[in-house]
Amino acid sequence: MSDKIVYKKEYGIEYIQFKKLLELGVNHCYTLMNDNIDFTTGNQYENESLEKICKILNINKNQLLIPKQSHTDNVKCVNSLTSQDELIDVDGLITDKGEIAIASKNADCILFFFYDPFKNVIANVHSGWKGTFKKIAEKTVIKMMNNYNCNAKDILCFINPSIRKCHFEVDVDVKELCEEIFKFTKRTDEFIKLGEEKEGKQKYYIDTVLINRILLEDTGLLPENIIDCNLCSVCNKDIIASARVQGKKFKRAMSAIIL
């Protein structure tokens, strides 16, 4: 495990937390693979899983806002306990209200926590490769600055477990799209690498974590304030949810944070 996180087990659920967020007094968690734990909507373990994460956060279930993610760049500011109907096609939440816990789900995609300790604002963002290509993390920071008067240099970013460059393998169409979108960085050779040829198709590897780091630093975040757990969901498939490993019946993890 990384020296930036701690591992915990309670209430029949295993999870990790970031040491820096704990030092700052912000309650949060990212759930690991457990028997009978799955945050996929409608599955048999969902209610039990939600009850357990609420115990970790010491909240009631109605305090937990879970957006209906669809790989968009839609980020919503929430100032009250919003209904689920208002969270459709939302992939990021921001709040400065202490009674609201904001959540995201993943199974390979990146989940970001953001925290401004001076304005006391948090965000929780889901960014798969589509969200990364739409720059949702960058847009979240801009929204924090515009809506809550945050200073980019004060914002901390925490990167939860996700698929990493060692396993995020794509075909030429995604590679070329990535090159086109991010050519302005002049660093595509750093985050796109040549892979193997499989069944007559050339494969490539993309480092979406590095792309987001570049975007966030360009937006004004300090490099030392971007804190990565450095855990690949595929490399750690025994403890971290991964759609690429588990296939169609993959389980979903949840990240949640509350002031």
Side-chain angles (χ1 to χ4, degrees):
M1 285 286 185
S2 164
D3 61 356
K4 295 182 172 56
I5 58 175
V6 294
Y7 164 87
K8 292 186 179 180
K9 182 177 181 180
E10 57 182 344
Y11 307 116
I13 190 169
E14 298 172 67
Y15 60 96
I16 60 171
Q17 295 177 309
F18 287 91
K19 291 180 181 178
K20 182 67 175 179
L21 273 176
L22 291 176
E23 290 170 7
L24 292 167
V26 179
N27 201 0
H28 67 287
C29 64
Y30 174 87
T31 63
L32 301 177
M33 289 276 286
N34 292 238
D35 290 338
N36 305 333
I37 298 296
D38 184 0
F39 293 92
T40 302
T41 301
N43 83 90
Q44 61 180 318
Y45 301 120
E46 182 186 17
N47 287 334
E48 179 183 347
S49 302
L50 289 172
E51 287 172 3
K52 290 180 177 180
I53 203 169
C54 287
K55 287 181 179 179
I56 293 170
L57 299 173
N58 193 29
I59 61 170
N60 297 320
K61 200 171 175 181
N62 62 2
Q63 291 178 261
L64 184 64
L65 296 186
I66 309 169
K68 295 184 179 180
Q69 301 162 191
S70 55
H71 299 280
T72 69
D73 59 353
N74 296 330
V75 181
K76 186 178 180 66
C77 299
V78 286
N79 299 310
S80 60
L81 295 172
T82 308
S83 72
Q84 283 297 111
D85 289 340
E86 295 182 64
L87 300 178
I88 296 171
D89 294 331
V90 171
D91 283 82
L93 296 175
I94 306 172
T95 192
D96 62 353
K97 305 304 180 187
E99 70 275 13
I100 298 174
I102 50 178
S104 288
K105 302 177 186 180
N106 83 337
D108 284 330
C109 297
I110 303 172
L111 300 184
F112 296 100
F113 291 135
F114 292 94
Y115 178 51
D116 181 340
F118 296 95
K119 300 298 183 182
N120 210 29
V121 177
I122 53 173
N124 195 341
V125 177
H126 164 258
S127 181
W129 69 266
K130 293 179 181 178
T132 294
F133 286 15
K134 294 172 184 175
K135 306 174 188 175
I136 188 173
E138 175 187 77
K139 291 173 181 177
T140 300
V141 170
I142 292 170
K143 204 155 195 173
M144 290 174 71
M145 293 190 289
N146 291 341
N147 292 38
Y148 297 90
N149 201 29
C150 296
N151 186 325
K153 290 182 171 56
D154 296 331
I155 296 173
L156 305 173
C157 173
F158 300 86
I159 307 175
N160 284 291
S162 66
I163 193 168
R164 302 299 168 117
K165 60 183 178 181
C166 49
H167 285 99
F168 185 46
E169 184 182 74
V170 302
D171 290 325
V172 67
D173 57 337
V174 177
K175 174 255 191 187
E176 289 179 348
L177 181 60
C178 185
E179 286 178 324
E180 178 61 27
I181 293 172
F182 298 110
K183 63 184 178 183
F184 73 93
T185 67
K186 299 180 180 179
R187 295 177 64 177
T188 55
D189 60 328
E190 293 181 44
F191 51 76
I192 301 175
K193 300 296 183 184
L194 185 67
E196 298 177 2
E197 188 174 310
K198 297 181 179 178
E199 298 178 356
K201 290 186 177 181
Q202 180 62 54
K203 301 291 184 176
Y204 301 87
Y205 291 96
I206 297 179
D207 189 343
T208 53
V209 171
L210 178 56
I211 292 172
N212 279 287
R213 183 178 285 275
I214 291 168
L215 293 176
L216 291 170
E217 289 181 15
D218 285 350
T219 311
L221 268 71
L222 300 176
E224 61 268 28
N225 285 346
I226 302 174
I227 300 166
D228 187 3
C229 72
N230 290 312
L231 288 174
C232 173
S233 51
V234 178
C235 291
N236 296 277
K237 60 184 181 294
D238 292 339
I239 60 169
I240 298 172
S242 170
R244 290 217 172 193
V245 172
Q246 296 171 328
K248 292 182 179 180
K249 295 184 178 180
F250 65 90
K251 292 184 174 182
R252 285 176 173 84
M254 178 172 282
S255 69
I257 185 169
I258 185 170
L259 289 170

